[in-house]
Amino acid sequence: MATTVTLELTDEMLQRYQQGAAAARKRLETFMVERLDEAVPPIENVASMDADTELAAIEEMNDSDLWQIARSKLPADQQERYDELLDKNSTGAVTPAESQELHQLGDQARRVTLRKAHAFMLLKWRGYAIPTRAELRQSL
């Protein structure tokens, strides 16, 4: 079921959405609905009940703690090992034990990414300017 919603946009905001829709070769309405859908977490099935509980706890955090989560990374040794195992896996040279380790590190990396994304979203909703994709890439 769909519901029609009327929004009041500034001229500048409308122009940005129109430019985005044109670049994506989509109708403005379709483009805007897709952006809105990307901006909020799903109500159900985020990843698991543990993730739901963890994300709910993050929503109660103060801004300083959110920034700490937003800037978090896998520990360097784990990231290095994860990258190594990804490379081995891509060539088919990963052992069964390494495959299990790769899966575990992947789960940890996805958890960090989910927490970071949720923290950035909350910070944006609280009025903070968050880094652009380019700025985030430079910080890696």
Side-chain angles (χ1 to χ4, degrees):
M1 183 176 136
T3 303
T4 300
V5 176
T6 302
L7 300 173
E8 289 187 32
L9 304 176
T10 64
D11 291 341
E12 187 266 337
M13 187 182 300
L14 177 60
Q15 184 178 18
R16 287 191 343 232
Y17 278 109
Q18 288 171 327
Q19 288 173 343
R25 296 185 179 119
K26 296 182 178 185
R27 290 181 41 241
L28 175 63
E29 295 82 359
T30 302
F31 182 78
M32 291 180 72
V33 167
E34 289 173 353
R35 300 301 69 79
L36 288 169
D37 188 45
E38 290 172 348
V40 295
I43 294 174
E44 300 175 14
N45 301 324
V46 170
S48 70
M49 286 303 288
D50 290 340
D52 287 342
T53 302
E54 188 171 4
L55 295 179
I58 290 172
E59 291 171 6
E60 301 301 319
M61 291 181 175
N62 65 41
D63 297 350
S64 177
D65 290 339
L66 289 176
W67 279 113
Q68 188 173 2
I69 290 171
R71 293 181 181 114
S72 67
K73 299 178 181 180
L74 273 181
D77 60 330
Q78 289 181 355
Q79 184 64 56
E80 185 176 315
R81 179 65 176 155
Y82 185 45
D83 291 341
E84 177 185 317
L85 291 172
L86 284 171
D87 287 342
K88 283 185 84 171
N89 189 54
S90 70
T91 63
V94 70
T95 67
E98 289 172 329
S99 180
Q100 183 177 358
E101 184 182 3
L102 175 62
H103 182 73
Q104 290 170 344
L105 287 169
D107 285 347
Q108 289 176 328
R110 284 183 289 279
R111 181 172 173 250
V112 167
T113 300
L114 178 63
R115 290 172 47 87
K116 288 176 66 135
H118 200 63
F120 273 127
M121 178 192 69
L122 292 168
L123 288 163
K124 184 168 180 84
W125 286 357
R126 292 180 186 182
Y128 290 95
I130 61 171
T132 64
R133 284 186 205 125
E135 292 167 337
L136 288 171
R137 278 189 221 113
Q138 288 177 344
S139 70
L140 293 178

